[in-house]
């Protein structure tokens, strides 16, 4: 009887929600069709970032299996040195993808990746539909609004041209946040406050840039609505539920947001943000391309493609037409249906959000120079197309109503779907790739700037022996070019790098081991070492293998720092810059308290036990600094030596900063975990407990009253 009762309840629920289910199924089919360039389950889309994000889903599953919750560290990235990519970049999409990969699609992470993207398309469209229906009370225009959102050129660009996984997922979450902000403002119900806070939390832990600018543009919409209703329908108390939800979201996510806000200034990405003015990236978005009815690169190229395959940012004529129609009917015709009158303030707000977002995307004036550098986190102006998307999609519903008035039937729906989907066709690039899932599983790394952005970059304050010296300038910016330094280790030539001066009782000797491209030397070549502009030694480059020792004990240095420079005398056959691959570059002859047991030795004595890195290290008299195979992050790691908590400090290894410990001779058991900021973890933990209590307390109360 219980099964029959349950079956009857399910059947009744389906009957009561058949229209909603039909819309979800429709959106699901359209979302699937828009993912056609990713149809293969074995060959991965050709864009470098796609493989990187699929690799992070694989590492997300590894992190889950380690016991990480929430995800913080990518287990095998950067030599397995516990790179906290999830902590600083994004958490929710990889967590969701890892769950799917572990429990639902355990044999193919690319299928898990695609399912997450498909869900974002579906959910984004559905909540645009819900909000459109709430504002207009017309169902067919609301359905078309949802389709226009998921078919937006920039949404498809992020999925197919850029492989911008986390930003695409954020575009699916943003309409949920928008919907519940408006619900909180209009109803103030506890349920809406909870769902609003959860949607903001998901957005924050998915893509920081979309979260930050989503806050600003939704705030702009709210400001215009308030200005329009300030004398008729506005009460200050209506903002309290909105503020509660947003504040609660910050408390729920502060374990993630606090490190991003407070620690990022010491990370390598900080250099990138400060150096890249979004105004300088507007060449991607000339006005003609933004208005283009088809997908075209922003500048002529030999292949006819943009530097990133298929990345052709545009507004889309569906949204342009919608904005134009609403402008005409509202400002020139002065005739809108009476049914739309209650939401007139939202209509005006959407018009302004659209035009402001367009201005920022095109930005013919360099207003960025007067803004705080924190706003430069946007990096690319085409990212503001996201806010044209949601404003344009909602305007699409309004425009449909203004054109057809109340005369809607299935023919309008079918024709509208065909027009919208066909208009999006140019932004579906023809797939071409040779990258396979099988190859990715062998080495599931993020690589490139994503593996460098969140390295801790602290100035070198002490000189250490036996650990490799830095190979890049301290002001290097993460990217494809600097990635070469980490992979191929080219010796920096003709650039002076500064290091702290050794102690007076020390007699350092520089060791350089590397490989010389003899086949590319035009005649003769030599390598010269300079300290503070004075030649210390010179060697003829006659052997392919370089093994060179340069004594520094007689070099006069008076300052706190000394400058080290390498110069090549000679020319190459191809006229290109001379490259010497560095295998090792280190100093010997420093005192034991400044000499390391380098990571090349400690790594083999360490293992991963769940979320802990556990090492058995023996310290001898000649080297008392233990360099662990763990990336350094101040105040975000817990370290135990023989069961007691100890302090730690950074010790450079090439361009990494690794955890260093100062230990006396002896044998030690060392344990290291990455835990984030403890105070932020406590706040988030208490906020989640409070939220769970609020959700379940009515249920418990009803049980107790029975």
């Amino acid at each position: 009887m219980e099964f029959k009762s349950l079956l009857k309840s399910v059947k009744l629920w389906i009957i009561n929600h058949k229209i909603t289910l039909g819309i979800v199924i429709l959106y699901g089919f359209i979302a699937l069709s828009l993912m056609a360039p990713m149809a293969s389950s074995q060959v991965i889309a050709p864009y470098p970032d796609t493989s990187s994000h699929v690799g992070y889903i694989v590492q997300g599953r590894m992190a889950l299996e380690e016991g990480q919750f929430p995800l913080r560290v990518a287990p095998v990235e950067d030599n397995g040195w516990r790179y906290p990519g999830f902590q600083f970049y994004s958490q929710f999409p990889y967590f969701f993808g890892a769950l799917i990969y572990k429990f639902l699609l355990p044999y193919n992470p690319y299928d898990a990746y695609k399912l997450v993207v498909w869900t974002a398309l579906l959910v984004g469209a559905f909540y645009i539909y819900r909000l459109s229906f709430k504002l207009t009370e017309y169902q067919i225009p609301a359905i078309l609004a949802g389709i226009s959102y998921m078919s937006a050129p920039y949404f498809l660009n992020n999925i197919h041209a850029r492989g911008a996984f986390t930003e695409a997922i954020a575009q699916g979450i943003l309409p949920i946040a928008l919907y519940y902000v408006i619900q909180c403002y209009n109803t103030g119900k506890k349920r809406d406050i909870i769902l609003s806070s959860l949607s903001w939390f998901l957005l924050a832990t998915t893509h920081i840039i979309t979260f930050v600018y989503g806050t600003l543009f939704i705030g702009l919409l709210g400001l215009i609505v308030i200005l329009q209703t300030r004398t008729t329908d506005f009460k200050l108390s209506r903002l309290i539920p909105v503020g509660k939800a947003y504040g609660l979201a910050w408390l729920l996510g502060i374990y993630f947001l606090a490190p991003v806000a407070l620690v990022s200034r010491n990370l390598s990405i900080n250099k990138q943000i400060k150096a890249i003015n979004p105004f300088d990236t507007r060449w991607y978005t000339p006005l003609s391309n933004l208005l283009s009815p088809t997908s075209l690169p922003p500048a002529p190229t030999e292949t006819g493609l943009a530097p990133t395959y298929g990345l052709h940012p545009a507004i889309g004529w569906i949204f342009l037409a919608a904005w134009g129609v609403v402008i005409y009917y509202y400002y020139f015709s002065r005739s809108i249906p009476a049914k739309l009158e209650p939401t007139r303030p939202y209509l005006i707000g959407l018009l302004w959000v659209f035009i402001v977002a367009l201005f920022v995307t095109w930005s013919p004036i360099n207003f960025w120079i007067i803004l705080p550098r924190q706003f430069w986190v946007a990096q690319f102006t085409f990212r503001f197309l996201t806010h044209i998307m949601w404003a344009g999609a909602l305007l699409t519903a309004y425009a449909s109503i203004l054109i057809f008035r109340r005369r809607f039937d299935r023919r309008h729906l079918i024709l509208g779907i065909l027009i919208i989907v066909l208009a999006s066709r140019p932004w579906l690039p023809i797939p071409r790739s040779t990258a396979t899932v099988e190859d990715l599983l062998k080495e599931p790394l993020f690589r490139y700037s994503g593996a460098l952005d969140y390295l801790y970059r602290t100035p070198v304050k002490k000189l250490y022996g036996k650990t490799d010296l830095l190979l890049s300038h301290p002001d290097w910016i993460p990217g494809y070019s600097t990635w070469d330094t980490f992979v191929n280790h080219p010796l920096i030539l003709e650039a002076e790098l500064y290091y702290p001066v050794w102690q007076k009782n020390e007699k350092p000797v520089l060791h350089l081991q590397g490989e010389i491209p003899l086949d590319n030397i035009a005649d003769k070549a030599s390598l010269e070492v300079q300290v503070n502009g004075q030649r210390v030694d010179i060697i003829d480059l006659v052997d392919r293998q370089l093994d060179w020792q340069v004594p520094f004990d007689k070099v006069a240095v008076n300052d706190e720092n000394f400058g080290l420079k390498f110069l090549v005398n000679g020319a190459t056959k191809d006229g290109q810059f001379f490259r010497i691959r560095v295998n090792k570059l280190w100093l010997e002859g420093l005192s034991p308290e400044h000499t390391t047991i380098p990571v090349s030795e400690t790594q083999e004595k360490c293992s991963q036990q769940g979320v802990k890195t556990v090492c058995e290290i023996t310290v001898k008299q000649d080297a008392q600094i233990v360099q662990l195979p763990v990336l350094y992050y101040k105040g975000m790691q817990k370290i135990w030596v023989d069961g007691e908590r100890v302090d730690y400090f950074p010790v450079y290894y090439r361009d990494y900063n690794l955890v260093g410990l100062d230990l006396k001779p002896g044998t030690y058991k060392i344990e290291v975990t990455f835990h984030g900021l403890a105070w932020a973890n406590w706040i988030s933990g208490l906020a989640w407990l409070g939220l769970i209590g609020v959700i379940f307390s009515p249920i418990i109360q009803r049980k107790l009253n029975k």
Side-chain angles (χ1 to χ4, degrees):
M1 289 297 293
E2 289 183 3
F3 178 75
K4 287 184 178 180
S5 177
L6 178 64
L7 193 64
K8 185 177 179 180
S9 298
V10 171
K11 186 177 180 181
L12 184 63
W13 185 89
I14 291 173
I15 292 171
N16 292 335
H17 296 86
K18 61 182 179 181
I19 294 177
T20 300
L21 288 172
I23 292 168
V24 169
I25 292 170
L26 172 65
Y27 284 169
F29 274 112
I30 294 174
L32 192 62
S33 72
L34 294 173
M35 293 181 65
M38 304 168 71
S40 173
S41 289
Q42 298 304 320
V43 181
I44 300 176
Y47 330 108
D49 283 2
T50 302
S51 294
S52 297
H53 292 298
V54 177
Y56 252 31
I57 285 178
V58 176
Q59 292 199 60
R61 174 175 170 173
M62 294 176 181
L64 286 177
E65 291 170 348
E66 280 186 1
Q68 289 188 43
F69 183 80
L71 302 185
R72 296 186 189 271
V73 174
V76 298
E77 198 69 55
D78 286 307
N79 308 301
W81 291 344
R82 316 302 287 168
Y83 177 69
F86 301 128
Q87 173 68 77
F88 289 105
Y89 177 47
S90 180
Q91 289 188 341
F92 172 69
Y94 299 115
F95 177 71
F96 185 31
L99 287 176
I100 294 172
Y101 179 39
K102 181 171 175 60
F103 297 108
L104 190 60
L105 300 167
Y107 302 108
N108 195 317
Y110 189 37
D111 284 345
Y113 171 94
K114 290 188 289 184
L115 185 55
V116 178
V117 173
W118 178 83
T119 303
L121 285 166
L122 173 63
V123 169
F126 182 70
Y127 271 89
I128 288 292
Y129 154 75
R130 288 193 71 184
L131 183 53
S132 296
F133 190 45
K134 185 79 67 174
L135 293 175
T136 67
E137 298 183 11
Y138 286 91
Q139 194 157 62
I140 288 176
I143 294 172
L144 295 177
I147 296 170
S148 72
Y149 185 79
M150 74 162 73
S151 305
Y154 185 54
F155 210 161
L156 299 180
N157 265 185
N158 277 338
I159 293 170
H160 298 302
R162 297 182 63 213
F165 175 62
T166 56
E167 188 170 350
I169 306 310
Q171 288 174 317
I173 296 171
L174 185 58
I176 309 176
L178 175 63
Y179 176 84
Y180 284 110
V181 164
I182 293 175
Q183 281 292 94
C184 284
Y185 182 74
N186 287 330
T187 70
K189 293 181 179 178
K190 181 173 73 174
R191 175 178 178 275
D192 292 327
I193 293 172
I194 292 172
L195 292 173
S196 180
S197 64
L198 290 174
S199 63
W200 278 119
F201 165 78
L202 292 178
L203 187 60
T205 54
T206 295
H207 196 246
I208 285 290
I209 297 170
T210 305
F211 172 70
V212 170
Y213 281 98
T215 298
L216 293 176
F217 277 97
I218 292 175
L220 174 62
L221 174 66
L223 176 63
I224 293 170
V225 169
I226 290 169
L227 291 175
Q228 291 292 316
T229 60
R230 64 188 184 280
T231 59
T232 57
D233 191 37
F234 173 69
K235 293 180 180 178
L236 193 61
S237 59
R238 297 180 68 179
L239 293 177
I240 294 175
V242 177
K244 282 183 179 178
Y246 191 73
L248 178 57
W250 267 88
L251 294 177
L252 295 174
I254 201 166
Y255 75 93
F256 175 80
L257 293 168
V260 170
L262 301 177
V263 180
S264 289
R265 63 177 178 269
N266 295 314
L267 306 184
S268 53
I269 195 172
N270 190 50
K271 299 280 186 183
Q272 188 179 59
I273 291 171
K274 289 184 176 180
I276 300 178
N277 183 338
F279 183 77
D280 297 330
T281 68
R282 70 191 183 100
W283 67 270
Y284 274 110
T285 54
L287 190 59
S288 56
N289 278 67
L290 290 175
L291 303 180
S292 174
T294 191
S295 178
L296 292 171
T301 62
E302 184 178 347
T303 62
L305 299 171
T308 300
Y309 174 64
L311 175 54
H312 308 150
I315 296 169
W317 266 72
I318 298 298
F319 295 156
L320 284 169
W323 187 81
V325 166
V326 174
I327 282 284
Y328 170 75
Y329 275 97
Y330 185 77
Y331 287 103
F332 297 98
S333 174
R334 295 288 181 178
S335 173
I336 65 172
K339 205 172 182 180
L340 297 183
E341 278 294 335
T343 60
R344 179 194 291 263
Y346 290 97
L347 185 148
I348 298 170
L350 293 170
L351 290 173
W352 276 101
V353 167
F354 188 100
I355 200 65
V356 170
L358 173 57
F359 175 80
V360 176
T361 305
W362 173 39
S363 57
I365 301 169
N366 188 7
F367 59 85
W368 295 98
I369 202 69
I370 63 173
L371 295 178
R373 289 294 175 92
Q374 288 82 354
F375 284 95
W376 289 20
V377 70
Q379 297 174 309
F380 303 100
T381 59
F382 55 64
R383 283 194 161 120
F384 297 102
L385 288 170
T386 292
H387 309 289
I388 289 177
M389 280 169 49
W390 60 262
L394 295 173
L395 287 172
T396 298
Y398 279 105
S400 301
I401 297 166
L402 292 172
I403 293 172
F404 296 106
R405 300 291 165 156
R406 303 192 191 103
R407 297 184 293 276
F408 288 106
D409 56 37
R410 293 174 185 174
R411 292 172 299 175
H412 294 94
L413 178 61
I414 294 168
L415 186 61
I417 293 171
L418 289 174
I419 292 172
I420 293 169
V421 173
L422 289 175
S424 69
R425 164 62 190 89
W427 284 272
L428 296 176
I430 297 172
R432 54 178 189 178
S433 179
T434 57
T436 66
V437 173
E438 184 180 357
D439 291 337
L440 181 136
L441 286 172
K442 295 175 183 176
E443 199 175 32
L445 302 177
F446 200 99
R447 296 189 178 90
Y448 310 116
S449 64
L452 310 179
D453 285 342
Y454 305 103
L455 295 179
Y456 199 97
R457 301 294 294 172
T458 184
V460 176
K461 296 181 179 179
K462 288 186 180 180
L463 196 64
Y464 293 103
K466 287 193 177 181
T467 184
D468 280 36
L469 296 170
L470 279 68
L471 291 175
S472 291
H473 193 278
D475 291 331
W476 65 264
I477 295 175
Y480 290 90
S481 59
T482 50
W483 178 253
D484 184 62
T485 302
F486 286 76
V487 176
N488 296 315
H489 313 308
L491 181 66
I492 304 300
L493 301 173
E494 300 183 4
E496 193 168 38
L497 300 182
Y498 288 89
Y499 300 93
V501 171
W502 55 88
Q503 300 297 312
K504 291 181 179 180
N505 63 325
E506 297 174 333
K507 296 182 179 181
V509 177
L510 182 71
H511 290 255
L512 173 58
Q513 294 177 353
E515 299 171 21
I516 310 298
L518 290 182
D519 298 339
N520 196 30
I521 296 177
D523 185 15
K524 294 181 179 180
S526 61
L527 181 62
E528 178 180 326
V529 179
Q530 293 184 358
V531 173
N532 292 343
Q534 300 297 316
R535 180 194 292 177
V536 177
D537 202 0
I538 190 169
I539 186 173
D540 292 328
L541 301 178
V542 293
D543 295 321
R544 187 172 299 277
Q545 296 298 322
L546 176 64
D547 191 351
W548 190 18
Q549 297 181 24
V550 184
F552 279 13
D553 58 319
K554 295 181 181 179
V555 176
V557 287
N558 298 318
D559 299 329
E560 293 181 357
N561 298 298
F562 71 94
L564 180 64
K565 182 189 292 188
F566 293 92
L567 297 172
V568 168
N569 302 312
T572 57
K573 291 179 181 179
D574 59 9
Q576 299 298 313
F577 196 71
F578 204 94
R579 290 172 68 87
I580 297 174
R581 177 183 170 85
V582 177
N583 295 327
K584 284 185 72 66
L585 175 66
W586 80 102
L587 288 165
E588 281 191 347
L590 301 185
S591 60
E593 59 267 24
H594 293 150
T595 299
T596 69
I597 304 173
V599 67
S600 56
E601 296 180 21
T602 61
Q603 181 139 15
E604 62 188 22
K605 298 173 184 177
C606 297
S607 62
Q608 199 62 37
Q609 298 178 14
V611 297
K612 286 185 177 181
T613 302
V614 181
C615 307
E616 294 279 351
I617 306 291
T618 298
V619 180
K620 298 180 180 179
Q621 292 286 353
D622 60 336
Q624 297 177 11
I625 302 297
V626 178
Q627 187 178 54
L628 297 176
V630 178
L631 293 169
Y632 170 87
Y633 292 88
K634 184 178 180 181
M636 302 189 74
Q637 288 149 312
K638 291 181 180 179
I639 301 179
W640 296 265
V641 175
D642 291 340
E644 293 186 8
R645 282 282 299 276
V646 299
D647 293 330
Y648 59 99
F649 50 89
V651 178
Y652 57 81
Y653 172 79
R654 294 185 175 169
D655 295 293
Y656 299 101
N657 278 305
L658 301 181
V659 167
L661 301 176
D662 188 353
L663 299 176
K664 300 298 180 183
T667 299
Y668 302 93
K669 181 181 180 181
I670 303 169
E671 298 173 295
V672 185
T673 62
F674 185 98
H675 67 94
L677 295 178
W679 62 268
N681 295 341
W682 274 104
I683 292 173
S684 285
L686 292 173
W688 277 103
L689 287 174
L691 179 62
I692 293 169
V694 169
I695 293 171
F696 287 100
S697 59
I699 300 172
I700 296 171
Q701 191 66 40
R702 283 197 297 270
K703 292 285 185 182
L704 293 174
N705 291 335
K706 284 186 178 180

